[in-house]
Amino acid sequence: MFSQTGLVLEGGGMRGVYTAGILEYFLEQDLFFPYVIGVSAGACNAASYLSKQKGRNKTVTVDYASDPRYISWRNYFKNRQFFGMDFIFDEIPNQHVPYHYDVFYNSPSEFVVGTTDCLTGMPVYFKKQDYGQELLTVLRASSSLPFIAPEIRYQDKILLDGGISDPIPIKKAQQDGYKKNIVILTRNKGYLKKPSKFHFLVDRKYPNYKGLQQSLRMRYCLYNDTIDYLEKEETAGNVLIIRPSEPLKVGRMERNPQRLGELYNQGYSDAKESMTKIISYIER
């Protein structure tokens, strides 16, 4: 099935295994969308979904989570990267769990990846025509968290995590013409962000990136406003939200394969239970 509905994916680091479980069920049901947009972990999971590689997201995010090359303090002390970015965005897709580039590029789905411009603090979105064969570069940029990953220089821009400037890119999907969207969140209902207390560290780490400083300061407002907007859009029938049904036990940096596996299974189960609602929403 190929619906005329957009798919919008939140990030969230290792909480993204919830999204991976949902997308696995979509794959099994042969459910695809003409337009997919995501940031950070959401975008990474979407890539394996669009290459139609069943089980790949689980292998990469759950099975590799305990590998120190994937996520560890060793990485941080060695390269100032908590996540092993070269390992995740080069070794794994090109050697260990080969990515099916041909299937991805032959997919009729548009795939938009959100990033943040460090100088302006504004979102920068890349469509297929923008990144061409550089998919892994924009995914890496979208997943590069401040403090624990270096900035990515790409197409005359300096980029970091897409979740900073547009954590749930619903409005971009609507601007691109998709008035109906399924939105996958990685937080429980009722979650709202609180202001950060560490702005002095941001200013010290990124003294030349005034736009990034401002975006990080206002990130909690943007996130909370987006959640409010989404819930109003859902009431109006323009959005269908899928979010974790059980209290989250997984954090952004989770390494425990059992906890990650449970959250992945929860995503799969929530998708299965929501399928009737999803199909009726798509066909409405």
Side-chain angles (χ1 to χ4, degrees):
M1 178 190 293
F2 196 76
S3 82
Q4 291 306 308
T5 304
L7 180 64
V8 180
L9 308 173
E10 183 180 12
M14 300 307 286
R15 289 192 304 274
V17 297
Y18 176 76
T19 304
I22 290 174
L23 296 180
E24 185 70 15
Y25 187 75
F26 286 180
L27 259 181
E28 290 180 4
Q29 300 304 307
D30 202 30
L31 175 60
F32 292 95
F33 300 82
Y35 178 95
V36 181
I37 184 168
V39 297
S40 198
C44 293
N45 285 311
S48 293
Y49 162 67
L50 291 169
S51 66
K52 299 185 178 181
Q53 290 177 262
K54 290 179 181 175
R56 186 178 190 277
N57 275 327
K58 187 175 186 183
T59 299
V60 172
T61 56
V62 178
D63 297 350
Y64 271 95
S66 56
D67 189 316
R69 294 172 296 175
Y70 191 97
I71 179 171
S72 66
W73 282 106
R74 187 184 79 177
N75 284 337
Y76 185 76
F77 293 129
K78 185 178 178 183
N79 300 312
R80 286 294 179 264
Q81 302 176 18
F82 200 70
F83 290 91
M85 302 301 270
D86 290 338
F87 182 67
I88 294 169
F89 293 101
D90 183 7
E91 276 192 53
I92 289 179
N94 294 318
Q95 298 175 35
H96 306 303
V97 194
Y99 184 69
H100 293 175
Y101 295 97
D102 55 336
V103 178
F104 171 80
Y105 284 110
N106 286 325
S107 166
S109 298
E110 175 63 272
F111 179 39
V112 185
V113 180
T115 65
T116 297
D117 185 317
C118 292
L119 295 179
T120 66
M122 299 301 290
V124 181
Y125 308 98
F126 294 94
K127 296 184 175 182
K128 274 184 173 178
Q129 67 183 35
D130 301 318
Y131 52 76
Q133 300 301 307
E134 298 291 331
L135 170 65
L136 292 178
T137 303
V138 295
L139 288 176
R140 181 170 182 157
S142 185
S143 304
S144 291
L145 293 162
F147 294 100
I148 61 174
E151 306 92 296
I152 300 297
R153 293 175 184 269
Y154 181 66
Q155 293 186 358
D156 299 324
K157 287 186 167 49
I158 304 171
L159 304 169
L160 276 175
D161 177 59
I164 298 168
S165 56
D166 194 2
I168 311 161
I170 177 61
K171 291 184 179 178
K172 173 61 176 170
Q174 292 173 334
Q175 287 165 10
D176 284 348
Y178 288 86
K179 303 306 178 190
K180 281 174 59 179
N181 291 280
I182 291 173
V183 180
I184 301 177
L185 303 181
T186 55
R187 290 283 196 178
N188 296 123
K189 186 173 179 61
Y191 171 81
L192 293 174
K193 280 194 185 299
K194 296 175 182 174
S196 170
K197 299 175 182 175
F198 300 102
H199 297 308
F200 68 96
L201 292 176
V202 173
D203 296 352
R204 186 182 300 171
K205 172 73 173 173
Y206 302 107
N208 300 319
Y209 299 157
K210 300 300 182 186
L212 179 67
Q213 291 175 17
Q214 182 65 12
S215 283
L216 285 168
R217 273 185 171 79
M218 300 308 297
R219 188 180 185 185
Y220 78 99
C221 287
L222 176 63
Y223 185 88
N224 297 345
D225 288 348
T226 304
I227 292 294
D228 182 59
Y229 177 77
L230 276 172
E231 291 179 345
K232 287 175 180 172
E233 285 292 276
E234 185 174 47
T235 300
N238 300 325
V239 160
L240 176 63
I241 298 173
I242 306 174
R243 50 167 48 114
S245 56
E246 302 291 329
L248 280 171
K249 298 175 184 174
V250 165
R252 185 183 287 274
M253 307 289 186
E254 183 64 62
R255 294 187 60 202
N256 185 310
Q258 183 178 343
R259 283 186 187 168
L260 290 167
E262 288 171 357
L263 185 56
Y264 177 92
N265 291 337
Q266 186 188 146
Y268 184 93
S269 174
D270 284 353
K272 190 173 184 179
E273 289 180 17
S274 302
M275 201 60 181
T276 302
K277 185 167 62 173
I278 289 169
I279 298 302
S280 68
Y281 174 77
I282 287 170
E283 292 179 344
R284 196 178 65 221

